[in-house]
């Protein structure tokens, strides 16, 4: 795909399954359950685990009831509701994700801030959409593989048949945007049949989150390479407009 390196070229996709990776995952798990973090909270890691912290703000958009809230819930390791309730206003969720880079073998703890807002609130209050976009690093345009209309509803995107692998590849090449996939269904449970299995849930969303952080890193590299000879080694959240970078899932 033009402008993007092959997946797995920057981030070690199977690293979370290694002993080292599982040790870092301990920062987002507690007794096999996912931890919840607020905007000002962070995982607690042993001092012997060196890690670099990188933050991104990401806003979600798409047709009402397409699954924006469910997508975030899936990534957070939470229950997926079978009922649709529109998000009443701006909702922010923080997901921490450790990943290891191939080139320098550094471990990076990504702080992904997902911003979502219901369609009704966006139309009713003029300040909501600008707040979502302000200092955002990327936009996730969501559509459902089971809802043709949700794809046709995306700006400037029109297809007239059911999805095929070839169509997805052609879409990525034509629009120069990556397409990621996630199944918004509740994950495995522990032996008590009630509690969600946090570690299994992490492994289930690992390919998605690894792809997402890798694309964000690539986007930073592209931005740096097109600047006036400036070399940037650390990312500063909110330093660029999300209009420059879109991801479809």
């Amino acid at each position: 795909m033009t402008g993007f390196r092959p997946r797995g070229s920057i981030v070690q996709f199977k690293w979370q399954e290694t002993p080292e990776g599982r040790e870092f995952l301990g920062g987002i798990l507690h007794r096999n359950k996912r931890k919840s973090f607020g905007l000002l909270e962070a995982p607690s890691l042993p001092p012997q685990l060196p890690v670099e912290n990188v933050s991104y703000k990401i806003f979600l958009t798409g047709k009402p009831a397409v699954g924006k809230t469910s997508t975030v819930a899936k990534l957070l390791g939470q229950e997926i509701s079978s009922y649709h309730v529109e998000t009443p206003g701006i909702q922010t969720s923080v997901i921490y994700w450790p990943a290891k880079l191939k080139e320098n073998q550094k471990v990076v703890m990504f702080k992904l801030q997902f911003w979502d807002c219901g369609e009704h609130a966006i139309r009713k209050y003029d300040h909501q959409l600008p707040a979502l976009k302000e200092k955002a690093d990327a936009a996730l345009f969501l559509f459902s593989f089971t809802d043709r209309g949700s794809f046709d509803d995306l700006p400037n995107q029109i297809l007239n048949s059911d999805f095929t692998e070839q169509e997805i590849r052609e879409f990525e090449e034509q629009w120069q945007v990556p397409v990621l996939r996630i199944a918004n269904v509740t994950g495995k449970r522990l032996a008590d049949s009630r509690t969600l299995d946090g570690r299994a849930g992490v492994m289930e969303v690992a390919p998605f989150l690894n792809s997402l952080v890798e694309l964000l890193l690539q986007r930073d590299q592209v931005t740096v390479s097109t600047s006036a000879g400036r070399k940037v080694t650390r990312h500063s959240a909110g330093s660029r407009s999300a209009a420059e970078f879109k991801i479809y899932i």
Side-chain angles (χ1 to χ4, degrees):
M1 181 170 50
T2 304
F4 291 94
R5 293 165 60 180
R7 291 172 184 172
S9 59
I10 297 178
V11 172
Q12 298 183 25
F13 268 51
K14 296 292 185 179
W15 173 77
Q16 287 84 9
E17 301 175 12
T18 67
E20 182 188 38
R22 289 195 293 269
E23 194 171 7
F24 277 91
L25 286 177
I28 63 174
L29 291 168
H30 177 65
R31 295 181 179 177
N32 209 19
K33 298 179 183 178
R34 287 287 294 276
K35 295 180 182 178
S36 298
F37 298 95
L39 288 175
L40 300 180
E41 296 177 309
S44 178
L45 294 171
Q48 71 270 19
L49 296 180
V51 64
E52 182 174 345
N53 298 298
V54 180
S55 179
Y56 290 101
K57 175 183 175 180
I58 304 166
F59 82 88
L60 291 80
T61 183
K63 183 180 178 182
V66 75
K68 297 185 291 292
T69 301
S70 295
T71 296
V72 174
K74 180 68 177 180
L75 297 175
L76 286 168
Q78 298 176 348
E79 296 275 357
I80 307 297
S81 176
S82 57
Y83 303 97
H84 171 251
V85 178
E86 182 170 332
T87 305
I90 292 179
Q91 178 176 298
T92 60
S93 304
V94 175
I95 296 174
Y96 281 94
W97 185 247
K100 190 169 188 177
L101 307 185
K102 278 189 171 182
E103 184 175 347
N104 55 22
Q105 298 296 302
K106 282 187 177 180
V107 176
V108 178
M109 181 65 77
F110 292 90
K111 179 182 181 181
L112 305 175
Q113 302 178 42
F114 290 90
W115 289 57
D116 177 27
C117 188
E119 186 71 18
H120 177 74
I122 289 178
R123 293 179 178 178
K124 185 176 181 180
Y125 304 106
D126 294 340
H127 70 280
Q128 300 278 34
L129 188 57
L132 289 170
K133 292 183 176 181
E134 184 180 12
K135 295 184 179 180
D137 297 286
L140 295 186
F141 284 73
L142 277 73
F143 68 92
S144 172
F145 279 82
T146 62
D147 180 4
R148 184 75 206 185
S150 68
F151 189 81
D152 295 334
D153 192 60
L154 293 174
N156 303 317
Q157 314 302 324
I158 300 175
L159 293 175
N160 52 24
S161 63
D162 292 337
F163 297 111
T164 65
E165 291 296 326
Q166 181 63 30
E167 279 186 307
I168 297 302
R169 287 194 296 269
E170 291 176 354
F171 174 82
E172 290 181 317
E173 293 174 359
Q174 178 180 356
W175 298 101
Q176 298 185 25
V177 293
V179 175
L180 306 181
R181 306 184 191 190
I182 188 170
N184 286 341
V185 294
T186 299
K188 295 180 180 179
R189 300 185 186 276
L190 298 175
D192 62 10
S193 301
R194 298 189 305 273
T195 309
L196 290 176
D197 188 329
R199 188 168 296 277
V202 164
M203 291 298 101
E204 190 176 355
V205 300
F208 180 96
L209 288 173
N210 281 330
S211 295
L212 178 58
V213 298
E214 183 173 66
L215 288 165
L216 289 166
L217 289 174
Q218 289 187 57
R219 180 262 198 168
D220 281 353
Q221 292 176 0
V222 171
T223 302
V224 171
S225 66
T226 56
S227 63
R230 291 189 299 122
K231 183 177 181 180
V232 179
T233 57
R234 289 293 301 273
H235 169 75
S236 175
S239 60
R240 289 168 293 278
S241 168
E244 300 174 9
F245 187 52
K246 300 178 177 65
I247 302 173
Y248 290 75
I249 63 176

